[in-house]
Structures are given as C-alpha cells and as structure tokens.
Amino acid sequence: TCRPCRQASAGQSRRWPGGDAARTYPKAAQEAGMSLGTLHTHIRRIRQGHPGLYAAICQVRLAQLAERHDMALETAQEHSLAYFRKRARWMRKMGL
C-alpha cells in the first residue's frame, strides 16, 4: 500500500484528535500524543493527498468551532452578569 493510502486509512479509521469535543489544535495534539507541528503535518498531508477526506474533516471542525464559539459566548455572558451583580452590590453597599 502506498503511503498516502495508509494515511487515508489511518485518518478514516481513527477519530479526529480530541474526538467530538471542540478542542483547540494544541489540545488535540496533546490528546493524540503528538506535537502540534506533527498534527499540522498530518492535516497538511491529508489536505494535499486526500481532498475529499480533508473536506469532511473541515465540516466536522467547522461544527466543533461553532459549538466552541457558542460555549464561549455563554461563558462571557455569565461572567458579565456576575461582574455587574458584584458591582451593583458594591454600589449599594457604598450608597452610590
């Protein structure tokens, strides 16, 4: 089997590093037990040698990033609410 074929089968048989969770590339590389550069190399080789597989990976990654973005927005909103509650309490306490 040629090298690109082995890469494609490895990419298809194994789950995307980090599974279904919306992880960053550094976290995905850590989960997969490889360096960030190695992860980027694997992704580049798949992109160059197997455009169809890469397109499928991009669709999964896009969904992951959308989920991650939604979680970040929720977290930011929670932090804002907590900040303004604390500020309002402080202002009441100070009589402002």
Side-chain angles (χ1 to χ4, degrees), residues 8-53:
S9 62
Q12 290 168 343
S13 65
R14 291 191 334 194
R15 297 190 66 132
W16 183 245
D20 293 330
R23 290 185 173 82
T24 61
Y25 281 147
K27 184 68 176 170
Q30 182 183 20
E31 294 272 328
M34 63 178 73
S35 73
L36 179 59
T38 302
L39 177 64
H40 284 292
T41 298
H42 284 297
I43 294 169
R44 178 178 48 81
R45 288 179 179 166
I46 291 172
R47 184 186 74 232
Q48 291 173 343
H50 308 280
L53 176 60

Side-chain angles (χ1 to χ4, degrees), residues 75-93:
T75 301
Q77 185 177 16
E78 290 170 5
H79 283 277
S80 292
L81 288 173
Y83 168 79
F84 286 111
R85 280 189 199 120
K86 287 180 185 177
R87 187 168 186 256
R89 247 181 294 179
W90 179 81
M91 290 180 78
R92 281 194 304 271
K93 181 178 174 184

